[in-house]
Every structure is written in structure tokens, then in C-alpha cells.
Amino acid sequence: MADLAAAAARLTRAVDRLETAMVDQRGRGAETRGRMAGELASAQAEFAQLTQRTEGLGDRLDGAIDLIKTALEA
């Protein structure tokens, strides 16, 4: 009977360790999600800024091309 009680105690300790590990893992998952959300927001902001610059540059290039065409036609 003592062996059964010892086995039950070991099982209880093992389950406790598993539950603790699960809680720790969930905490790290939330931390990772928070970090990734911040990185995503930063990347989206950078993308928006680059898109704006690209559009402005495209307009300037179109204007320069038109000027060159006009100069060549004259």
C-alpha cells in the first residue's frame, strides 16, 4: 500500500510540474504575440511611408520624362 501512496504522490508532483510548465508556456506565448504585434505595426508604418515616397517619386519621374519628351520634340 505504501508503494501505491508513493506512486500517487509522484504522479501528483508530475502533474503539478506539467501544469506549471503549461502556465509558463502560455505566458511566453503572450509575450511573443505582443512583440510580434509591435513588429508588425512598425513594418506597416514603414510600408506606408515607403509607399508614399514611391508615389511621389513616380510623379516626379513622370514629370521629368514629359519635360525630356517636350525638349526632344522642339
Side-chain angles (χ1 to χ4, degrees):
M1 195 65 150
D3 290 340
L4 184 58
R10 286 194 309 273
L11 179 60
T12 300
R13 286 191 305 270
V15 170
D16 289 344
R17 286 192 308 270
L18 285 173
E19 287 174 346
T20 300
M22 236 174 42
V23 168
D24 290 347
Q25 185 65 29
R26 285 184 184 156
R28 278 187 248 131
E31 195 175 285
T32 300
R33 282 190 300 278
R35 182 181 47 79
M36 290 176 71
E39 290 175 6
L40 176 61
S42 177
Q44 288 173 327
E46 184 179 358
F47 177 76
Q49 190 176 45
L50 290 172
T51 299
Q52 229 176 8
R53 287 181 186 173
T54 302
E55 289 172 357
L57 183 59
D59 292 343
R60 289 175 58 195
L61 284 173
D62 288 342
I65 290 169
D66 289 341
L67 281 173
I68 293 170
K69 283 182 181 178
T70 302
L72 292 174
E73 290 173 357

